[in-house]
Amino acid sequence: MGVRIRLAVPLLLGFGVLLGGCRSVGAEALTHWPVPAPPEPVGPQPQLWVALAARLGDAPLTLQAAAGSLQLRDQRGQRLDGPALQLRWRMEPLPQARLIQRSVLGPFASYEAAEQAALAWRRQGVMAQVAHPADWEVWAPADASAPRGFKARRVEQQVGQRRVLQGRSAGAWRSLVGPVLLQAPQGLRWQGGVFAGPFRLQADASDRWSLVEQVPLERYLLGVVPHEIGAGSPPAALAAQAVLARTWALRNRARFAVDGYHLCADTQCQVYADPRQAGAAVRQAVAATAGRVLAWRSQPIHAVYHASNGGVAADEDEAWPLPELPYLEAFLDWSTLGRPPVRVPLSRPQDLSQVLSRSQGAYGAGHPRFRWRRLISQDDLRQALGGRAAALGVPLRPLVLERGASGRVVRLAIAGPRGQEVLERDAIRRTLRQLPSTLFVLQVAGPSQWWFEGGGFGHGAGLSQAGAVDLAGRGWSLERILSHYYPGTTLLPVDRLGGDPSGGL
């Protein structure tokens, strides 16, 4: 069956809708293109807006129904129906040019770091928003002074045109007015899976477009849990992952508010794929924990988790510049059997070396990156720094400046004869991507070469998925696993949460 288009009203571009009532260059400048915030995911069945794809607008897009037909409707009532819909974007002139002007902090290695910078600005009374145009940034009005400890840059652009979405019908392209609503009664094929929707195609704050699924929270978890911990994990580990994924989603629901949705579907959020592929064990874990989240003082916790902690859990400020969270503390994740004769804090490298030389009795020791070794050369350091390396001169060498309570490196310098580049916390692994974690000691391997000998995979804070699988296999319950990794927290129904969903962070 071919695509057909029905015009409910005369075809108009509707720039007033696209711009949200923006004024011309002579008026006050915009910090970004205004986008309505997504609705709050509240009530007994919260709904999330999850971007299956972001920053669309360059290449054409074909949307394919899993079966039957797709049904698209724009804001002027235009409708397209068919088993496949062909879409593209074209730049079209604005009635009047606009000035986009903002003050920017960043880039940051993570949302968590950007969020703290935004909070610092907001404490000064500045309207600041976290954004992710390519890297994590914080946007504020152009005249805002940077908060203490940060350096802002100014971005200014005069814009005379915007991207307009077009749909193809009967061999002709017609402009559509967003946001565009899309129904897929028998599912939308996307990235090798099938998603139920409903969906939206909408412009974002940077004049790109997003394909957003409006998905109930519990269905969303079916698409997250097996991809984050593995569908074959023991029931208690799957249940723990379900609780944490639910908690994390609600705690992070403002992550992409500037672009008009809650969460993404990739590793910048939680990996979200086809919920229909969830097996019986995952469905049971989600159903058994339905509506329950992990809370601290009636607020969803910062429910971070990772693959393996290498036998040592991290404090939250070893990964991100967060305020103190009493439920995220450094500790040896070990049974009494074979525990190293050291205690946290592991501030001395010789203490950490003792830990890294052992594995017997550690929870999750079966993970393939529980212990690892990486050889990194001066050329690797130069390549990782890119254009920043030239100013340092040669030779380059890595230098540990500071360790956290778990022994993880929180400040690493790449030093040269003319200076040094200091990497902090999550920026270390984002720069030296060969490193599975920051739990390592350095050993000279030869001229301009070093062994990074370490343990674990990920930031190390909160639940170790390898540890949870191990503990569940030993017969630990959901509640015991969660209290082990997040001491002092409480399992609560969603409707008993209160206060700031960010936990005041």
Side-chain angles (χ1 to χ4, degrees):
M1 181 169 55
V3 176
R4 59 184 184 275
I5 184 166
R6 300 192 295 272
L7 299 181
V9 296
L11 179 62
L12 297 171
L13 291 180
F15 285 112
V17 175
L18 286 171
L19 298 180
C22 299
R23 290 172 288 174
S24 64
V25 169
E28 182 180 357
L30 301 169
T31 58
H32 58 271
W33 294 112
V35 178
E40 283 288 292
V42 296
Q45 296 182 328
Q47 186 178 83
L48 295 171
W49 287 19
V50 180
L52 301 180
R55 297 189 291 278
L56 300 171
D58 292 328
L61 178 66
T62 298
L63 298 179
Q64 179 74 49
S69 182
L70 300 176
Q71 302 161 7
L72 179 150
R73 177 173 57 84
D74 81 344
Q75 294 301 302
R76 294 300 187 192
Q78 299 181 91
R79 297 178 183 271
L80 279 73
D81 302 274
L85 301 180
Q86 291 181 282
L87 305 170
R88 72 177 186 183
W89 286 266
R90 285 293 179 268
M91 302 302 294
E92 297 192 1
L94 296 172
Q96 293 178 305
R98 290 307 315 254
L99 179 64
I100 293 180
Q101 195 177 64
R102 58 179 173 261
S103 188
V104 178
L105 303 180
F108 297 95
S110 65
Y111 169 81
E112 288 77 10
E115 184 184 35
Q116 292 305 305
L119 288 171
W121 232 338
R122 291 170 195 159
R123 284 192 287 269
Q124 295 180 183
V126 175
M127 293 184 62
Q129 292 181 283
V130 177
H132 191 255
D135 297 300
W136 291 109
E137 300 178 346
V138 182
W139 295 350
D143 59 354
S145 299
R148 179 176 296 179
F150 296 92
K151 184 177 181 180
R153 69 182 191 276
R154 188 182 179 94
V155 172
E156 184 171 312
Q157 181 183 19
Q158 185 167 321
V159 181
Q161 55 185 356
R162 289 202 71 183
R163 282 181 178 83
V164 172
L165 178 64
Q166 295 185 328
R168 186 175 176 84
S169 174
W173 291 96
R174 297 178 182 271
S175 295
L176 305 171
V177 178
V180 173
L181 308 182
L182 179 68
Q183 298 282 346
Q186 297 185 62
L188 172 71
R189 291 198 181 280
W190 185 260
Q191 300 295 322
V194 175
F195 297 83
F199 307 91
R200 300 166 62 87
L201 280 157
Q202 59 187 43
D204 67 18
S206 301
D207 194 32
R208 315 294 286 190
W209 283 65
S210 307
L211 172 62
V212 175
E213 183 183 18
Q214 301 172 209
V215 56
L217 175 59
E218 300 303 309
R219 190 210 301 164
Y220 166 78
L221 297 180
L222 297 177
V224 169
V225 172
H227 302 285
E228 288 291 352
I229 198 170
S233 300
L238 287 174
Q241 182 66 71
V243 169
L244 294 176
R246 185 183 294 112
T247 305
W248 190 97
L250 293 177
R251 161 62 179 77
N252 285 272
R253 63 198 191 190
R255 203 172 183 94
F256 286 91
V258 72
D259 289 319
Y261 55 89
H262 299 116
L263 301 174
C264 59
D266 59 26
T267 54
Q268 292 294 342
C269 298
Q270 299 181 116
V271 175
Y272 170 62
D274 184 354
R276 299 186 185 191
Q277 296 179 3
V282 171
R283 294 180 182 276
Q284 173 60 28
V286 172
T289 64
R292 288 199 290 169
V293 297
L294 202 57
W296 170 262
R297 296 179 177 173
S298 298
Q299 297 171 342
I301 69 164
H302 198 75
V304 291
Y305 55 87
H306 58 280
S308 166
N309 62 20
V312 194
D315 192 276
E316 79 287 328
D317 68 2
E318 295 179 82
W320 311 283
L322 296 176
E324 178 63 24
L325 299 173
Y327 51 82
L328 291 178
E329 298 288 343
F331 66 91
L332 289 173
D333 196 12
W334 231 278
S335 72
T336 55
L337 178 64
R339 180 178 293 172
V342 293
R343 298 180 179 180
V344 295
L346 301 174
S347 54
R348 300 187 308 168
Q350 56 265 40
D351 292 340
L352 179 56
S353 292
Q354 283 207 48
V355 173
L356 294 175
S357 68
R358 298 169 181 255
S359 60
Q360 185 181 12
Y363 298 134
H367 191 276
R369 291 190 179 89
F370 185 78
R371 294 288 177 261
W372 49 264
R373 199 181 196 208
R374 298 290 186 270
L375 181 64
I376 294 181
S377 69
Q378 176 179 252
D379 287 342
D380 294 326
L381 298 177
R382 183 182 299 108
Q383 184 175 0
L385 289 180
R388 295 174 290 172
L392 306 180
V394 290
L396 297 176
R397 65 187 179 99
L399 179 64
V400 173
L401 300 180
E402 182 181 350
R403 294 183 183 272
S406 75
R408 284 172 171 79
V409 178
V410 295
R411 295 178 70 237
L412 178 74
I414 309 300
R418 297 199 296 269
Q420 61 184 22
E421 180 80 14
V422 178
L423 308 174
E424 296 188 358
R425 299 183 175 91
D426 48 355
I428 297 172
R429 283 197 305 132
R430 293 295 176 96
T431 304
L432 299 176
R433 294 182 178 273
Q434 306 100 311
L435 301 181
S437 78
T438 55
L439 186 69
F440 62 79
V441 292
L442 284 175
Q443 301 288 342
V444 175
S448 301
Q449 289 184 315
W450 299 267
W451 284 114
F452 286 64
E453 298 180 338
F457 186 21
H459 50 69
L463 179 131
S464 162
Q465 292 167 322
V469 169
D470 188 351
L471 295 173
R474 297 170 188 243
W476 286 37
S477 66
L478 160 70
E479 291 80 7
R480 188 179 178 191
I481 291 171
L482 291 177
S483 65
H484 174 72
Y485 287 110
Y486 309 93
T489 59
T490 306
L491 273 171
L492 286 181
V494 170
D495 58 9
R496 287 184 55 190
L497 293 173
D500 181 359
S502 70
L505 298 179

